[in-house]
Amino acid sequence: MEKRGVITIDGPAGAGKSTVGRLLARNLGYLYIDSGSFYRAVAWQARRSGMDLKDLKALSAFLQGFQPRVTSDGQGFHLVINDREIKEELRQPWVSRAASEVAALPEVRRWVKERLRQLAQNGGVVTEGRDQGTVVFPDALCKFYLTADLATRARRRLQDYQKDGDPPPLEEVMKELAARDRQDETRNEAPLRVPEDAEVIDTTSLSIDEVVTECLARVRELLD
Ligand code: DC
């Protein structure tokens, strides 16, 4: 396999994008990029600085000076802000909601897009999010769209919450996911869509291994 292209994975929350993306990247020796982390980091750091996320002027000024460092390894994609790795902080429910809010803003999307394209300039990346195959990397070598039914996605999210203790009821997680889906699908800027040339995989009744195997087969087909 000589070519080192860009592989995109889009889809709603809980479809398995992060786990599949990480394993696919590890298998191929590619860099794994979790584009949602950038939206989460913007929301987290802006709020911590006491900013009103609706104050676009302040947010634009903030973005100009915001330069999180990126590391990615077999464990995942990490952002380092002010010399500290920010991980669990970004997974808090309030950050998920605020991230969805800032992700609707053109200024923020432009800022994230620039960072993603910089990271991918030499190819060899697996990048996941909501607009990777449609807007950020329309010419990607290989595009996937992962999805699963709402109840399955909510159960997966609940398992993540259970690891941290004190999980909310399943109905609450379902409601929260449905609200985020709606916000991500109906916004004007880069709404969540299936890229035209993507392979769509419904992961509802598939194991992670099965999804990764299917993705790898497709990538190998395109690379060979
Ligand atoms: O994938 P995630 O849950 O970490 O994403 C956090 C939020 O950012 C989510 O509401 C969708 C948004 N997002 C986006 O709009 N575009 C991306 N490429 C990635 C995430």
Side-chain angles (χ1 to χ4, degrees):
M1 280 201 252
E2 289 300 319
K3 287 186 277 182
R4 288 174 60 81
V6 172
I7 298 169
T8 62
I9 307 178
D10 289 301
K17 302 186 301 292
S18 307
T19 314
V20 170
R22 216 168 39 234
L23 292 172
L24 198 55
R26 194 192 294 169
N27 254 287
L28 296 164
Y30 278 24
L31 177 79
Y32 164 67
I33 303 175
D34 167 8
S35 64
S37 286
F38 281 109
Y39 294 100
R40 289 173 180 272
V42 168
W44 183 75
Q45 183 69 355
R47 273 276 174 80
R48 265 168 43 103
S49 322
M51 205 173 293
D52 173 358
L53 298 181
K54 294 198 165 47
D55 183 347
L56 294 187
K57 224 167 136 196
L59 200 58
S60 293
F62 158 78
L63 286 174
Q64 275 184 23
F66 187 40
Q67 290 182 327
R69 247 184 331 112
V70 166
T71 61
S72 179
D73 53 31
Q75 307 310 312
F77 181 81
H78 316 281
L79 289 179
V80 179
I81 300 173
N82 297 334
D83 291 328
R84 191 158 75 85
E85 189 192 323
I86 310 299
K87 208 168 146 198
E88 281 81 18
E89 292 89 336
L90 296 186
R91 297 289 135 196
Q92 301 172 85
W94 75 262
V95 180
S96 301
R97 283 191 293 275
S100 195
E101 211 180 300
V102 297
L105 304 172
E107 292 82 357
V108 176
R109 299 208 73 84
R110 204 173 317 121
W111 182 89
V112 174
K113 186 164 72 180
E114 277 167 21
R115 253 118 222 108
L116 295 171
R117 286 186 175 164
Q118 237 164 35
L119 283 172
Q121 61 190 342
N122 297 320
V125 303
V126 176
T127 177
E128 56 105 340
R130 305 293 190 287
D131 63 342
Q132 301 303 279
T134 49
V135 174
V136 184
F137 301 107
D139 301 325
L141 169 82
C142 187
K143 301 179 186 180
F144 296 103
Y145 186 90
L146 300 192
T147 186
D149 65 36
L150 181 63
T152 304
R153 294 191 284 118
R155 273 195 296 275
R156 290 174 185 164
R157 232 346 88 87
L158 195 61
Q159 275 174 1
D160 295 337
Y161 287 138
Q162 274 159 350
K163 281 182 216 144
D164 307 331
D166 200 21
L170 180 67
E171 294 69 36
E172 205 174 293
V173 182
M174 277 177 77
K175 259 202 334 231
E176 171 134 7
L177 280 188
R180 281 180 57 201
D181 286 355
R182 216 167 22 252
Q183 186 155 358
D184 295 336
E185 284 165 4
T186 57
R187 66 179 177 224
N188 291 327
E189 284 293 315
L192 173 62
R193 291 267 185 283
V194 181
E196 259 174 38
D197 40 354
E199 176 174 338
V200 178
I201 304 177
D202 185 338
T203 69
T204 304
S205 50
L206 295 179
S207 69
I208 292 292
D209 273 357
E210 287 172 319
V211 182
V212 172
T213 303
E214 193 170 330
C215 292
L216 271 175
R218 171 94 182 120
V219 173
R220 295 220 157 95
E221 220 176 80
L222 289 167
L223 284 175
D224 285 341

